[in-house]
Amino acid sequence: MPMKPKLVEAFHAQIQAEFQSAYTYLGMAAWFMENNLPGFAQWMRFQWEEETLHAMKLYDFLHNRGEQVALRAVAAPSKKYTTAVNVFENVRKHEQMITKSINDLYELALKEKDLPSQIVLQWFINEQVEEEAQVMEIIERLKLVGSDGPSIYLMDRQMAERPAPTAGA
Ligand code: OFO
């Protein structure tokens, strides 16, 4: 069954938002590299991959529904960060915005009575809960560590242990 044009448009906007997330996190990976925190940089690179997988999940969904995929431009990410906590505060703000856009998209799928869209978006609703919780945990740990060099070094090594994302992530 074809999707309503308004819903397709909203999916296009969400694909753009996921690619924007990916690009933003790739910019943050570069900042961490430049600030001698390779573990955090690796974590961000995996986050870039994960966001790309999110975008592709929506991309494939539209294609499987017989709809066209219209890719939109993504903006250059900011690199004006001050500290690791500041980077993750920006991630938190960004993810809260993404959560809102996923929730709005789900509301629209409900309104349009599009059941397959609702199901695919339920996965994203759960994912956003996880993403926000994960970022909050990192912020809390960073605040605990403060400016203690050896603790930052240790945390950087732990961040590097994050496994590579998979399509189900
Ligand atoms: Fe796609 O979850 Fe973050 O943005």
Side-chain angles (χ1 to χ4, degrees):
M1 204 159 102
M3 292 167 68
K4 298 274 169 50
K6 199 173 161 191
L7 190 55
V8 173
E9 272 300 294
F11 266 82
H12 287 159
Q14 192 61 41
I15 290 171
Q16 178 190 34
E18 300 291 343
F19 277 125
Q20 188 67 60
S21 301
Y23 214 35
T24 298
Y25 299 148
L26 193 58
M28 290 173 174
W31 186 90
F32 278 119
M33 289 289 283
E34 289 151 20
N35 285 274
N36 305 312
L37 290 166
F40 280 92
Q42 179 60 56
W43 192 98
M44 279 296 174
R45 273 175 97 117
F46 282 160
Q47 196 60 17
W48 161 62
E49 276 182 41
E50 188 170 314
E51 296 299 351
T52 304
L53 289 169
H54 292 174
M56 294 311 293
K57 198 184 271 276
L58 299 170
Y59 175 112
D60 288 338
F61 175 76
L62 278 188
H63 181 71
N64 290 340
R65 291 290 302 275
E67 303 294 344
Q68 285 193 345
V69 174
L71 294 177
R72 299 178 179 178
V74 292
S78 161
K79 275 180 76 182
K80 289 191 190 118
Y81 306 116
T82 49
T83 58
V85 180
N86 173 250
V87 174
F88 277 93
E89 293 283 11
N90 276 278
V91 174
R92 183 165 70 134
K93 232 185 283 164
H94 185 79
E95 286 305 326
Q96 285 170 340
M97 190 188 76
I98 295 292
T99 298
K100 186 184 178 321
S101 72
I102 290 285
N103 292 351
D104 289 349
L105 185 51
Y106 186 72
E107 294 274 351
L108 184 62
L110 282 178
K111 197 167 150 240
E112 301 293 352
K113 297 185 170 49
D114 192 298
L115 299 183
S117 295
Q118 290 169 28
I119 290 167
V120 78
L121 291 169
Q122 279 167 9
W123 182 92
F124 280 88
I125 290 169
N126 273 329
E127 176 67 12
Q128 284 309 116
V129 173
E130 272 178 35
E131 291 224 341
E132 286 197 36
Q134 173 178 249
V135 171
M136 269 316 294
E137 194 200 315
I138 294 170
I139 291 173
E140 291 309 318
R141 284 177 64 199
L142 278 169
K143 283 183 178 167
L144 216 60
V145 159
S147 56
D148 180 53
S151 303
I152 293 172
Y153 176 76
L154 204 70
M155 189 169 169
D156 187 62
R157 292 190 59 171
Q158 287 167 350
M159 293 295 277
E161 286 166 14
R162 173 188 176 165
T166 57

